[in-house]
PDB file of all heavy atoms in Angstrom:
ATOM      1  N   MET A 305     181.256  15.679 250.067  1.00 98.00           N
ATOM      2  CA  MET A 305     181.283  17.089 249.654  1.00 98.00           C
ATOM      3  C   MET A 305     180.990  17.275 248.173  1.00 98.00           C
ATOM      4  O   MET A 305     180.348  18.247 247.777  1.00 98.00           O
ATOM      5  CB  MET A 305     182.645  17.709 249.979  1.00 98.00           C
ATOM      6  CG  MET A 305     182.899  17.944 251.445  1.00 98.00           C
ATOM      7  SD  MET A 305     184.451  18.860 251.730  1.00 98.00           S
ATOM      8  CE  MET A 305     185.667  17.623 251.251  1.00 98.00           C
ATOM      9  N   GLN A 306     181.455  16.350 247.334  1.00 97.00           N
ATOM     10  CA  GLN A 306     181.371  16.508 245.889  1.00 97.00           C
ATOM     11  C   GLN A 306     180.128  15.875 245.278  1.00 97.00           C
ATOM     12  O   GLN A 306     179.940  15.933 244.065  1.00 97.00           O
ATOM     13  CB  GLN A 306     182.621  15.909 245.240  1.00 97.00           C
ATOM     14  CG  GLN A 306     183.904  16.621 245.624  1.00 97.00           C
ATOM     15  CD  GLN A 306     185.152  15.901 245.143  1.00 97.00           C
ATOM     16  OE1 GLN A 306     185.081  14.908 244.415  1.00 97.00           O
ATOM     17  NE2 GLN A 306     186.311  16.391 245.559  1.00 97.00           N
ATOM     18  N   HIS A 307     179.280  15.287 246.107  1.00 98.00           N
ATOM     19  CA  HIS A 307     178.093  14.637 245.556  1.00 98.00           C
ATOM     20  C   HIS A 307     177.213  15.674 244.842  1.00 98.00           C
ATOM     21  O   HIS A 307     176.977  16.770 245.374  1.00 98.00           O
ATOM     22  CB  HIS A 307     177.289  13.951 246.663  1.00 98.00           C
ATOM     23  CG  HIS A 307     176.326  12.932 246.133  1.00 98.00           C
ATOM     24  ND1 HIS A 307     175.142  13.275 245.526  1.00 98.00           N
ATOM     25  CD2 HIS A 307     176.403  11.568 246.089  1.00 98.00           C
ATOM     26  CE1 HIS A 307     174.505  12.183 245.151  1.00 98.00           C
ATOM     27  NE2 HIS A 307     175.248  11.137 245.481  1.00 98.00           N
ATOM     28  N   PRO A 308     176.743  15.359 243.636  1.00 98.00           N
ATOM     29  CA  PRO A 308     175.931  16.332 242.886  1.00 98.00           C
ATOM     30  C   PRO A 308     174.640  16.731 243.582  1.00 98.00           C
ATOM     31  O   PRO A 308     174.074  17.789 243.273  1.00 98.00           O
ATOM     32  CB  PRO A 308     175.648  15.603 241.562  1.00 98.00           C
ATOM     33  CG  PRO A 308     175.919  14.154 241.838  1.00 98.00           C
ATOM     34  CD  PRO A 308     176.997  14.135 242.860  1.00 98.00           C
ATOM     35  N   ASN A 309     174.188  15.919 244.535  1.00 98.00           N
ATOM     36  CA  ASN A 309     172.963  16.268 245.264  1.00 98.00           C
ATOM     37  C   ASN A 309     173.223  16.965 246.594  1.00 98.00           C
ATOM     38  O   ASN A 309     172.289  17.188 247.367  1.00 98.00           O
ATOM     39  CB  ASN A 309     172.118  15.013 245.510  1.00 98.00           C
ATOM     40  CG  ASN A 309     171.406  14.546 244.261  1.00 98.00           C
ATOM     41  OD1 ASN A 309     171.196  15.325 243.328  1.00 98.00           O
ATOM     42  ND2 ASN A 309     171.029  13.277 244.220  1.00 98.00           N
ATOM     43  N   MET A 310     174.473  17.318 246.866  1.00 98.00           N
ATOM     44  CA  MET A 310     174.754  18.104 248.066  1.00 98.00           C
ATOM     45  C   MET A 310     174.192  19.510 247.885  1.00 98.00           C
ATOM     46  O   MET A 310     174.387  20.153 246.854  1.00 98.00           O
ATOM     47  CB  MET A 310     176.250  18.172 248.339  1.00 98.00           C
ATOM     48  CG  MET A 310     176.650  19.163 249.450  1.00 98.00           C
ATOM     49  SD  MET A 310     175.849  18.874 251.049  1.00 98.00           S
ATOM     50  CE  MET A 310     176.859  17.531 251.673  1.00 98.00           C
ATOM     51  N   ARG A 311     173.484  20.000 248.880  1.00 98.00           N
ATOM     52  CA  ARG A 311     172.894  21.330 248.827  1.00 98.00           C
ATOM     53  C   ARG A 311     173.970  22.411 248.904  1.00 98.00           C
ATOM     54  O   ARG A 311     175.027  22.217 249.515  1.00 98.00           O
ATOM     55  CB  ARG A 311     171.907  21.513 249.989  1.00 98.00           C
ATOM     56  CG  ARG A 311     170.634  20.681 249.866  1.00 98.00           C
ATOM     57  CD  ARG A 311     169.911  20.600 251.208  1.00 98.00           C
ATOM     58  NE  ARG A 311     169.795  21.901 251.833  1.00 98.00           N
ATOM     59  CZ  ARG A 311     168.786  22.747 251.646  1.00 98.00           C
ATOM     60  NH1 ARG A 311     167.786  22.405 250.850  1.00 98.00           N
ATOM     61  NH2 ARG A 311     168.757  23.904 252.257  1.00 98.00           N
ATOM     62  N   ASP A 312     173.688  23.551 248.305  1.00 96.00           N
ATOM     63  CA  ASP A 312     174.663  24.649 248.270  1.00 96.00           C
ATOM     64  C   ASP A 312     175.023  25.158 249.664  1.00 96.00           C
ATOM     65  O   ASP A 312     176.139  25.641 249.881  1.00 96.00           O
ATOM     66  CB  ASP A 312     174.120  25.820 247.431  1.00 96.00           C
ATOM     67  CG  ASP A 312     174.047  25.488 245.955  1.00 96.00           C
ATOM     68  OD1 ASP A 312     174.734  24.543 245.519  1.00 96.00           O
ATOM     69  OD2 ASP A 312     173.288  26.170 245.224  1.00 96.00           O
ATOM     70  N   ASP A 313     174.093  25.050 250.607  1.00 96.00           N
ATOM     71  CA  ASP A 313     174.366  25.577 251.954  1.00 96.00           C
ATOM     72  C   ASP A 313     175.112  24.575 252.842  1.00 96.00           C
ATOM     73  O   ASP A 313     175.383  24.849 254.005  1.00 96.00           O
ATOM     74  CB  ASP A 313     173.077  26.040 252.636  1.00 96.00           C
ATOM     75  CG  ASP A 313     172.089  24.918 252.921  1.00 96.00           C
ATOM     76  OD1 ASP A 313     172.387  23.753 252.579  1.00 96.00           O
ATOM     77  OD2 ASP A 313     171.004  25.202 253.473  1.00 96.00           O
ATOM     78  N   GLY A 314     175.445  23.404 252.297  1.00 97.00           N
ATOM     79  CA  GLY A 314     176.211  22.425 253.058  1.00 97.00           C
ATOM     80  C   GLY A 314     175.381  21.499 253.929  1.00 97.00           C
ATOM     81  O   GLY A 314     175.927  20.625 254.591  1.00 97.00           O
ATOM     82  N   ILE A 315     174.067  21.696 253.938  1.00 98.00           N
ATOM     83  CA  ILE A 315     173.175  20.831 254.717  1.00 98.00           C
ATOM     84  C   ILE A 315     172.606  19.775 253.778  1.00 98.00           C
ATOM     85  O   ILE A 315     171.844  20.098 252.870  1.00 98.00           O
ATOM     86  CB  ILE A 315     172.016  21.634 255.355  1.00 98.00           C
ATOM     87  CG1 ILE A 315     172.549  22.875 256.081  1.00 98.00           C
ATOM     88  CG2 ILE A 315     171.219  20.731 256.293  1.00 98.00           C
ATOM     89  CD1 ILE A 315     173.523  22.599 257.182  1.00 98.00           C
ATOM     90  N   PRO A 316     172.957  18.505 253.960  1.00 98.00           N
ATOM     91  CA  PRO A 316     172.536  17.487 252.991  1.00 98.00           C
ATOM     92  C   PRO A 316     171.065  17.110 253.119  1.00 98.00           C
ATOM     93  O   PRO A 316     170.441  17.314 254.165  1.00 98.00           O
ATOM     94  CB  PRO A 316     173.423  16.287 253.362  1.00 98.00           C
ATOM     95  CG  PRO A 316     173.599  16.430 254.843  1.00 98.00           C
ATOM     96  CD  PRO A 316     173.730  17.927 255.074  1.00 98.00           C
ATOM     97  N   TYR A 317     170.519  16.580 252.032  1.00 98.00           N
ATOM     98  CA  TYR A 317     169.239  15.898 252.143  1.00 98.00           C
ATOM     99  C   TYR A 317     169.469  14.634 252.966  1.00 98.00           C
ATOM    100  O   TYR A 317     170.589  14.133 253.075  1.00 98.00           O
ATOM    101  CB  TYR A 317     168.705  15.539 250.759  1.00 98.00           C
ATOM    102  CG  TYR A 317     168.427  16.742 249.901  1.00 98.00           C
ATOM    103  CD1 TYR A 317     169.285  17.088 248.857  1.00 98.00           C
ATOM    104  CD2 TYR A 317     167.317  17.547 250.142  1.00 98.00           C
ATOM    105  CE1 TYR A 317     169.037  18.211 248.074  1.00 98.00           C
ATOM    106  CE2 TYR A 317     167.057  18.667 249.363  1.00 98.00           C
ATOM    107  CZ  TYR A 317     167.926  19.000 248.328  1.00 98.00           C
ATOM    108  OH  TYR A 317     167.680  20.107 247.566  1.00 98.00           O
ATOM    109  N   TRP A 318     168.423  14.096 253.544  1.00 98.00           N
ATOM    110  CA  TRP A 318     168.566  12.957 254.459  1.00 98.00           C
ATOM    111  C   TRP A 318     169.230  11.756 253.781  1.00 98.00           C
ATOM    112  O   TRP A 318     169.935  10.992 254.416  1.00 98.00           O
ATOM    113  CB  TRP A 318     167.212  12.566 255.029  1.00 98.00           C
ATOM    114  CG  TRP A 318     166.382  11.777 254.049  1.00 98.00           C
ATOM    115  CD1 TRP A 318     165.616  12.275 253.036  1.00 98.00           C
ATOM    116  CD2 TRP A 318     166.284  10.358 253.972  1.00 98.00           C
ATOM    117  NE1 TRP A 318     165.043  11.248 252.330  1.00 98.00           N
ATOM    118  CE2 TRP A 318     165.430  10.059 252.884  1.00 98.00           C
ATOM    119  CE3 TRP A 318     166.828   9.307 254.713  1.00 98.00           C
ATOM    120  CZ2 TRP A 318     165.104   8.751 252.520  1.00 98.00           C
ATOM    121  CZ3 TRP A 318     166.508   8.001 254.353  1.00 98.00           C
ATOM    122  CH2 TRP A 318     165.653   7.737 253.272  1.00 98.00           C
TER     123      TRP A 318
END
Side-chain angles (χ1 to χ4, degrees):
M305 288 187 291
Q306 296 172 6
H307 198 284
N309 285 338
M310 171 56 80
R311 290 164 47 89
D312 291 340
D313 65 359
I315 311 301
Y317 297 105
W318 78 278

